[in-house]
Amino acid sequence: MNTHLFITLLRWDYLLQIRYHLLTAVAVVTAGYVVIFSVLQHLATDELLIILVFSDPVMLGFLCIGALVLFEQDAGTLQALVVTPVRTWHYLWSKALTLTLTALVCAIGMAVIARGANFNLVWFCLAVVLSSIVFVFVGFTGITRVATFNTYLLIVPVYLAH
């Protein structure tokens, strides 16, 4: 594996997420959860917090991968990748890792606001990372079947039901 190439892909994926304002949208949604958690902290049960903290990072990867792939498809990036030394698995894992790292930062922020440091950080991070990676790859399978983001949003319930 060409480590330099993979690191370049990781940087490029973050630049694309910034350019397409995905990180801004993620930050706004996470900030909304943080405000809700801080205001309603005394009303929130552990079960509700777990659902909210894990649904946001998981859905972040699922929805953002759809947007990223469609943006790149419209820009002709996917066709250009065929003639580069980038392998398919480089491309897939670069997206999965950047979106998972973003999801992890958001989830930790949400959990700290909701519970302080009163949780097992190692198990929490492991759960978020594994959940996020799985749903990024599920999102990849979903995006291959559609041509627009609106259509992708329509298939989200179908994938979540399975």
Side-chain angles (χ1 to χ4, degrees), residues 12 16 19-20 66-81 91 95 147:
W12 180 248
L16 287 176
R19 179 183 299 159
Y20 296 135
L68 283 171
V69 170
L70 287 171
F71 285 142
E72 289 180 343
Q73 184 177 343
D74 289 345
T77 305
L78 299 179
Q79 294 82 359
L81 283 175
Y91 176 81
K95 298 270 186 269

Side-chain angles (χ1 to χ4, degrees), residues 41-81:
Q41 190 172 23
H42 61 284
L43 297 176
T45 63
D46 285 341
E47 292 80 15
L48 177 63
L49 293 174
I50 290 169
I51 289 169
L52 292 176
V53 167
F54 278 97
S55 67
D56 181 58
V58 166
M59 289 309 295
L60 176 146
F62 189 81
L63 293 174
C64 288
I65 197 62
L68 283 171
V69 170
L70 287 171
F71 285 142
E72 289 180 343
Q73 184 177 343
D74 289 345
T77 305
L78 299 179
Q79 294 82 359
L81 283 175

